[in-house]
């Protein structure tokens, strides 16, 4: 996942809103969000079929969401490297940063949001930092919390999310009804894939592989519950749908997208 947008407003009916865009090679297989992990039966997220973990995990009962971004820094030794995809599961389940030997992991940024606010941990292979995000709209990218809007997508999209009317809590209803003005920027706001500002991107590398935005997630956290919406085809906003956060939802089919 290459971009996470978080809105924090403690006194609002939905104090935490999160939009997450996952960028990955299109040939990497994955499954749509569900309760895929018996050891974490309370958690819902999309499952990466190569490493078994996830890029985003939500705990509807605990009203928590955790999202992972790859970071820059010193890689872990190959002989003992663990998948970073287990980190959102551990954080969402515990509601805090897990006690781990971080030397097992390549650099990352881990976002954890709940009714108590939003925290960001960044590991560069040598040291770990922790920050609590203040009230407002924030953008996290692979270089970390982009506070100075150095990235073109941050400079263009952060004000648009900030201006969009904040969704209030409602039960059920379509993504359009719940998310309102948030749905357009989360769907890329019509910015072309090859534009430096693009939130939804697609690139063919010199070796022929295609790296692209494979999905977009929207999560709202409120006292009343957790709302989870998912777009499995970012090039088609009509594919937005609500994820069933009740127990017993059937597993979705494996999606493979090839360039």
């Amino acid at each position: 996942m290459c971009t996470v947008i978080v809105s924090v407003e403690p006194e609002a009916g939905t104090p935490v809103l999160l939009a997450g865009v996952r960028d990955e090679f299109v040939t990497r297989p994955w499954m749509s969000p569900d309760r895929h992990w018996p050891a974490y039966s309370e958690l819902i997220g999309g499952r990466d079929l190569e490493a078994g973990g996830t890029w985003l995990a939500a705990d509807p009962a605990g009203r928590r969401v955790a999202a992972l971004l790859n970071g820059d820094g010193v890689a872990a030794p190959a002989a003992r490297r663990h998948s970073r995809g287990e980190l959102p599961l551990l954080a969402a389940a515990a509601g805090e940063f897990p006690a781990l030997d971080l030397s097992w992991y390549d650099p990352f940024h881990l976002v954890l949001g709940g009714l108590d606010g939003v925290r960001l941990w960044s590991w560069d292979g040598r040291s770990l930092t922790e920050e609590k995000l203040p009230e407002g709209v924030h953008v996290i990218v692979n270089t970390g919390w982009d506070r100075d809007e150095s990235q073109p997508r941050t400079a263009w999209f952060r004000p648009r999310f900030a201006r969009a009317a904040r969704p209030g809590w409602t039960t059920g209803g379509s993504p359009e009804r719940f998310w309102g003005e948030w749905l357009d920027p989360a769907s890329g706001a019509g910015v072309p894939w090859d534009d430096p500002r693009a939130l939804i991107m697609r690139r063919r590398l010199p070796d022929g592989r295609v790296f692209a935005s494979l999905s977009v997630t929207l999560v709202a956290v409120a006292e009343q519950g957790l709302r989870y919406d998912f777009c499995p085809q970012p090039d088609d906003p009509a594919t937005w749908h609500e994820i069933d956060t009740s127990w017993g939802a059937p597993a979705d089919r494996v999606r493979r997208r090839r360039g």
Side-chain angles (χ1 to χ4, degrees), residues 45-70:
R47 185 166 184 257
D48 171 47
L49 292 178
E50 282 196 10
T54 188
W55 55 95
L56 183 147
D59 179 356
R63 295 186 280 292
R64 291 190 292 266
V65 59
L68 177 77
L69 299 91
N70 295 344

Side-chain angles (χ1 to χ4, degrees), residues 115-153:
L115 295 176
D116 58 348
V118 179
R119 286 170 286 171
L120 170 66
W121 291 274
S122 296
W123 167 248
D124 64 2
R126 292 192 177 94
S127 62
L128 180 73
T129 62
E130 177 183 356
E131 298 176 280
K132 185 160 186 176
L133 301 187
E135 185 171 351
V137 175
H138 312 284
V139 179
I140 299 98
V141 293
N142 294 117
T143 54
W145 181 8
D146 192 9
R147 279 172 275 199
D148 59 0
E149 299 189 350
S150 59
Q151 296 285 338
R153 85 188 77 154

Side-chain angles (χ1 to χ4, degrees), residues 10-131:
E11 301 305 316
T14 49
V16 173
L17 304 173
L18 183 146
V21 181
R22 182 191 183 217
D23 297 340
E24 185 53 86
F25 289 106
V26 299
T27 53
R28 186 162 181 143
W30 55 282
M31 296 179 73
S32 290
D34 205 338
R35 298 181 188 274
H36 294 294
W37 302 274
Y40 301 98
S41 58
E42 72 280 12
L43 301 183
I44 297 176
R47 185 166 184 257
D48 171 47
L49 292 178
E50 282 196 10
T54 188
W55 55 95
L56 183 147
D59 179 356
R63 295 186 280 292
R64 291 190 292 266
V65 59
L68 177 77
L69 299 91
N70 295 344
D72 298 324
V74 180
R80 60 175 180 173
R81 180 179 295 134
H82 285 218
S83 169
R84 289 169 289 193
E86 64 188 13
L87 297 172
L89 297 169
L90 293 167
E96 59 187 12
F97 191 82
L100 296 167
D101 183 346
L102 292 181
S103 67
W104 295 345
Y105 299 92
D106 287 343
F108 63 81
H109 306 286
L110 182 64
V111 181
L112 177 64
L115 295 176
D116 58 348
V118 179
R119 286 170 286 171
L120 170 66
W121 291 274
S122 296
W123 167 248
D124 64 2
R126 292 192 177 94
S127 62
L128 180 73
T129 62
E130 177 183 356
E131 298 176 280

